[in-house]
Amino acid sequence: MSVTSVDKDLDLLTLTLIADFAAPVERVWRLWADPRQLERWWGPPTYPATVERHDLTPGGEVTYFMTGPEGDRHRGWWRISSVTPPTALEFTDGFADDDGKPKDDMPTTSVRVRLTEHDGGTRMEMRSLFDSREQMEQMVAMGMEEGLKEAVGQIDALLAA
């Protein structure tokens, strides 16, 4: 498994996932930059993603839905704040209703992704920042930590293909 650590910091309101891959930074970046590759790992294995819109530019949006085992759909969106290919991406991640409209009654997280060279491959740091301790606890209770580990755990197979 490529995930080397997941750290919850209740004081800083962050959840940080670290994963190491045996592939160059540019290759790992394409897993974010190419919507068809993003679909193959964004979301746990039993909830595959379908990316509908993919604009990785500052101010751009990514919209997607994950389909559960019973055919249920869970929509989400990203609002891109900054992009520095092939090493950095920052976005706000949120939930959407059935029409794709952001759900105001659900929390959003600020996500920062960093890709760096590490031991001949790539280290990916994915840090989610929450607005409050309650919001962080709600997202962890909803399975965010386990879901991220399962999603990122699919990347090794994609890089080997």
Side-chain angles (χ1 to χ4, degrees):
M1 170 84 99
S2 51
V3 176
T4 58
S5 69
V6 178
D7 178 51
K8 287 184 287 210
D9 188 322
L10 293 172
D11 294 325
L12 294 177
L13 301 176
T14 58
L15 178 75
T16 304
L17 179 141
I18 305 284
D20 293 322
F21 304 105
V25 168
E26 292 79 12
R27 175 64 187 102
V28 177
W29 174 257
R30 285 197 304 271
L31 296 172
W32 292 92
D34 178 347
R36 302 297 71 92
Q37 291 184 52
L38 182 63
E39 287 176 332
R40 297 183 62 199
W41 71 271
W42 185 254
T46 56
Y47 283 82
T50 300
V51 175
E52 297 175 303
R53 183 176 25 203
H54 188 271
D55 178 5
L56 280 193
T57 60
E61 286 191 349
V62 172
T63 60
Y64 64 92
F65 61 88
M66 291 185 274
T67 305
E70 306 300 319
D72 48 313
R73 286 190 175 181
H74 306 273
R75 293 187 172 275
W77 55 268
W78 300 349
R79 212 164 271 122
I80 309 302
S81 10
S82 74
V83 183
T84 309
T87 60
L89 173 65
E90 294 184 20
F91 58 93
T92 302
D93 184 18
F95 296 90
D97 64 19
D98 291 339
D99 297 322
K101 182 178 178 252
K103 292 177 90 169
D104 296 331
D105 62 337
M106 292 296 288
T108 60
T109 54
S110 298
V111 180
R112 185 185 82 189
V113 178
R114 296 286 182 267
L115 303 176
T116 55
E117 290 184 32
H118 180 75
D119 286 345
T122 300
R123 170 160 285 176
M124 180 172 75
E125 177 183 306
M126 202 169 146
R127 177 166 293 163
S128 298
L129 174 65
F130 303 88
D131 291 333
S132 69
R133 187 178 184 128
E134 295 75 25
Q135 180 196 53
M136 182 176 180
E137 289 171 347
Q138 178 186 8
M139 293 296 288
V140 169
M142 291 172 62
M144 179 181 182
E145 181 179 357
E146 193 57 39
L148 273 176
K149 287 196 292 192
E150 288 179 5
V152 172
Q154 300 172 102
I155 290 178
D156 280 327
L158 295 174
L159 294 172

